[in-house]
């Protein structure tokens, strides 16, 4: 009887068990994703908007509306949608990116979304900008509209984020946070056995381990043999139990438990939503569908009516007609005690498109602030209510002609390249005209302030090497003109 | 007020008001586009645009704040009216 036989046996009590099936191990990243409690469900496409709506408590239609609007405005929402689709679990707990059984349709959807995102990115412009460029010449109104829409979009995203963070603290108890609080997520899902062995703790079993007789002088050889036989039997049983557990029954149990928790979570979320809907019901999809159909019909009708007499403004009128229909639908929805957030979003988008089209039509000949304008081959009329205007005279393509500028406020910069004569005059003598001369090699030579004579400023520049002449007439009540002439020979 | 009217959702006045405003804007736009010479009809806008000065844009801030305060006040008045309607009439002393 030696001391080292027993320890040798005890070491074998907990051999390295077989690895649990791959389906039940999960990297921490996916566990963390699941723990967010964002579950794709109730979706029109991938259910990502529905997931965000459910997680934040915002109406899904509003989330969808915001996503559509920011996508239309050129925000890369499609890329984010594809990523979210690939990473978020659905109601059955399937994450497409894990590529397990049942991930096929999800992955196909993700791939299609990526294709759509590629197409929109390749197109480069936002959809509305594209419409504005194609349908309405002159887009200075659009620059303001676009800026305000961007601010609105960013504000909406920030609002959702804040809402999300605030709800996160008070969220429902979610599945996938571990079997018990102390055990990490990996241990909870991977079935326990491997981790317990790795930690050196006693392996769990349904039977207690036989107590070893005191190995010292008190125990006889027979007693020790009996104990060894008992222990061997126990080990066999224990190994069988552990095999059964890792072979899937425990994993299946775990899966079932997880699914049950998901189902309970979903049911609770559905109940909360139903309650909110009963208190503040929204317009039905049927109502919205009828409204959209009526809007399309009305828009087409107005477009047709405008065709014979005013073809050039028929598109704007058609869009505004659609807006009028959705606006009336908002009134009807309100009277029927229904919320009309989605209709309001559609109406605002239509009003913005139609309104900017109308404004652009009315001020078609005007240019926006801070513009750089090359001179044309011939005459030219410019109207700029405010902002800076930079004229480039004597470029490779412009020929002789007259440029008339109607201007409200703002500075005019005129760059005169070598090889052109310039005649410049204003309609007012208020303000100032400053001329800077530069040599052929870009050296600053001198500057002069032009004096007003006969109620106006006049200045002329003669380049002996050329015969082309650009005449610039500035109609502005108080002028602020800076002229730079290049290639001056002194 | 009966129990039924309390549990039942009320008429959505904000939706109605916004819908009316939007309908008005869209209608005005169509009407303007429908007249024979729209740019002549709003000929007064053009000189106004050329009168604009950049420093006037700063007026947007107090204008917005003022409009918001007015809206808040109106909401407050409406809510107070609704509350006093729902509350039982308080017994007046001396009756």
């Amino acid at each position: 009887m030696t001391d080292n036989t027993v320890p040798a046996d005890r070491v074998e009590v907990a051999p390295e068990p077989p690895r649990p099936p791959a389906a039940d191990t999960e990297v921490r990243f996916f566990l963390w994703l699941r723990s967010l409690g964002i579950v794709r469900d109730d979706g029109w496409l991938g259910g990502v908007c529905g997931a965000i709506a459910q997680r934040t408590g915002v109406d899904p239609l509003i989330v969808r509306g915001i996503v559509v609007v920011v996508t239309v405005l050129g925000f890369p929402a499609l890329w984010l949608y594809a990523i979210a689709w690939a990473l978020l679990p659905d109601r059955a707990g399937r994450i497409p990116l894990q590529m397990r059984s049942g991930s096929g349709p999800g992955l196909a959807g993700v791939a299609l979304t990526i294709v759509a995102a590629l197409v929109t990115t390749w197109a480069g412009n936002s959809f509305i900008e594209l419409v504005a460029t194609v349908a309405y010449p002159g887009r200075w109104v659009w620059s303001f509209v676009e800026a305000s829409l961007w601010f609105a979009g960013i504000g909406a995203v920030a609002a959702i984020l804040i809402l999300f963070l605030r709800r996160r603290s008070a969220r429902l108890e979610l599945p996938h946070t571990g079997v018990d609080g102390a055990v990490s997520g990996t241990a909870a899902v991977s079935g326990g056995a491997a981790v317990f062995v790795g930690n050196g703790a006693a392996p769990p079993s349904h039977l207690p381990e036989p107590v070893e007789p005191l190995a010292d002088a008190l125990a006889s050889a027979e007693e020790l043999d009996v104990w060894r036989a008992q222990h061997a039997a126990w080990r066999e049983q224990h190994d069988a139990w552990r095999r059964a557990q890792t072979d899937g029954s425990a994993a299946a149990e775990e899966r079932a438990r997880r699914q049950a928790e998901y189902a309970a979570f979903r049911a609770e979320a559905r109940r909360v939503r139903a309650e909110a809907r009963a208190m503040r019901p929204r317009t039905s999809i049927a109502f919205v569908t009828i409204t959209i159909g009526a809007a399309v019909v009305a828009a087409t009708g107005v477009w047709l009516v405008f065709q014979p007499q005013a073809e050039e403004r028929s598109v704007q009128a058609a869009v505004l007609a659609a807006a009028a229909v959705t606006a009336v639908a908002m009134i009807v929805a309100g009277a029927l005690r229904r919320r009309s957030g989605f209709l309001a979003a559609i109406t605002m988008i239509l009003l913005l498109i139609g309104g900017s089209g109308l404004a652009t039509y009315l001020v078609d000949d005007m240019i926006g602030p801070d513009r750089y304008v090359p001179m044309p081959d011939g005459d030219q009329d410019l109207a700029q209510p405010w902002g800076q205007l930079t004229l480039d005279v004597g470029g490779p393509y412009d020929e002789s002609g007259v440029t008339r500028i109607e201007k409200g406020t703002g500075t005019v910069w005129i760059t005169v390249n070598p090889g052109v004569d310039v005649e410049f005059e204003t309609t007012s003598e208020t303000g100032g005209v400053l001329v800077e001369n530069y040599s052929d090699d870009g050296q600053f030579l001198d500057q002069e302030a032009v004096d007003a004579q006969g109620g106006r400023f006049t200045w002329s520049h003669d380049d002996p090497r050329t015969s082309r002449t650009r005449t610039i007439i500035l109609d502005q009540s108080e002028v602020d003109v800076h002229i730079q002439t290049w290639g001056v020979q002194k | 007020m009966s129990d039924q009217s309390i549990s039942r959702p009320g008429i959505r006045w904000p939706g109605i008001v916004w819908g009316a405003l939007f309908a008005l804007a869209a209608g005005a736009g169509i009407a303007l586009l429908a007249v024979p010479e729209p740019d002549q009809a709003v000929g007064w806008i053009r000189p106004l645009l050329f009168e604009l000065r950049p420093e006037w844009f700063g007026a947007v801030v107090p204008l917005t704040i003022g409009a918001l305060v007015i809206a808040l006040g109106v909401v407050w008045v409406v809510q107070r009216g609704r509350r006093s309607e729902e509350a039982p009439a308080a017994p007046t002393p001396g009756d």
Side-chain angles (χ1 to χ4, degrees), chain A residues 140 144 278-281 302 306 310 313 316-317 320-324 327-328 330-340 344 347-348 351 354 358 361-363 365-366 383-387 406-409 477-478, chain B residues 4-43 45-55 57:
Chain A
W140 68 275
F144 294 99
M279 290 300 292
R280 303 165 63 228
V302 167
F306 268 73
R313 41 187 202 266
Q316 293 94 319
L320 286 175
V328 170
M330 280 176 70
I331 300 175
V332 175
L336 292 173
R337 298 157 194 269
R338 297 289 190 275
R339 281 184 293 155
S340 50
T347 311
M348 282 191 275
L351 273 180
L358 167 64
Y361 172 78
L362 292 176
V363 294
D365 59 330
M366 293 184 203
Q384 188 189 41
W386 65 85
E406 183 188 3
K407 190 151 171 52
T409 57
S477 56
E478 185 179 346
Chain B
Q4 199 198 351
S5 65
I6 289 171
S7 62
R8 209 182 154 199
I11 290 175
R12 308 289 303 181
W13 285 107
I16 293 177
V17 171
W18 279 111
L21 285 177
F22 289 159
L24 202 71
I30 296 171
L32 187 56
L33 286 167
V35 298
E37 300 277 348
D39 37 353
Q40 301 291 315
V42 288
I45 288 180
R46 197 186 165 92
L48 210 68
L49 278 177
F50 281 86
E51 282 294 309
L52 280 181
R53 302 198 169 268
E55 56 267 27
F57 289 111

Side-chain angles (χ1 to χ4, degrees), chain A residues 115-388:
Chain A
V115 169
L118 273 172
V119 168
T120 51
T121 307
W122 171 76
N125 277 328
S126 73
F127 174 70
I128 288 188
E129 199 172 347
L130 221 62
V131 169
T133 316
V134 173
Y136 317 118
R139 333 170 5 247
W140 68 275
V141 173
W142 177 244
S143 58
F144 294 99
V145 176
E146 193 186 31
S148 51
L149 280 177
W150 262 104
F151 279 121
I154 291 167
V157 170
I160 287 183
L161 207 69
I162 290 167
L163 216 71
F164 175 80
L165 291 174
R166 280 181 60 188
R167 300 229 168 194
R168 201 180 146 83
S169 54
R171 72 190 189 203
L172 292 162
E173 193 51 49
L174 296 171
H176 294 295
T177 47
V179 168
D180 56 49
V183 178
S184 76
T186 313
V189 178
S190 58
V195 176
F196 282 116
V197 170
N199 291 349
S205 173
H206 56 303
L207 287 175
E209 185 177 355
V211 183
E212 179 194 354
L214 292 170
D216 296 325
L218 294 174
S220 67
E222 287 91 335
E223 270 177 321
L224 208 55
D225 284 344
V226 169
W227 175 79
R228 275 185 182 148
Q230 272 182 345
H231 192 267
W234 173 83
R235 252 189 61 200
E236 206 171 294
Q237 262 185 333
H238 174 72
D239 286 348
W241 170 81
R242 200 155 61 186
R243 264 198 304 280
Q245 192 183 34
T246 50
D247 276 353
S249 69
E253 234 170 66
E254 174 66 19
R255 264 202 302 276
R257 190 186 63 79
R258 230 188 293 163
Q259 275 172 8
E261 275 179 13
Y262 262 130
F265 174 70
R266 300 289 315 147
E268 175 62 11
R270 230 175 266 134
R271 192 189 61 74
V272 169
R273 270 213 304 273
E275 211 168 73
R277 248 181 238 155
M279 290 300 292
R280 303 165 63 228
R282 63 181 183 216
T283 44
S284 63
I285 293 177
F287 186 87
V288 173
T289 309
I290 291 169
T291 303
I292 290 173
V296 170
V297 169
T300 314
V302 167
W303 184 81
L304 282 171
V305 168
F306 268 73
Q307 280 300 304
Q309 299 296 327
E311 190 191 344
E312 73 280 3
R313 41 187 202 266
S314 55
V315 175
Q316 293 94 319
V319 176
L320 286 175
V325 170
T326 53
V328 170
M330 280 176 70
I331 300 175
V332 175
L336 292 173
R337 298 157 194 269
R338 297 289 190 275
R339 281 184 293 155
S340 50
F342 186 62
L343 287 174
I346 294 178
T347 311
M348 282 191 275
I349 293 169
L350 289 172
L351 273 180
L352 277 172
I353 296 174
S356 63
L358 167 64
T360 312
Y361 172 78
L362 292 176
V363 294
D364 195 17
D365 59 330
M366 293 184 203
I367 57 173
D370 306 332
R371 287 304 168 95
Y372 165 87
V373 181
M375 295 296 99
D377 176 11
D379 293 349
Q380 177 186 40
D381 287 321
L382 297 172
Q384 188 189 41
W386 65 85
Q388 292 193 20

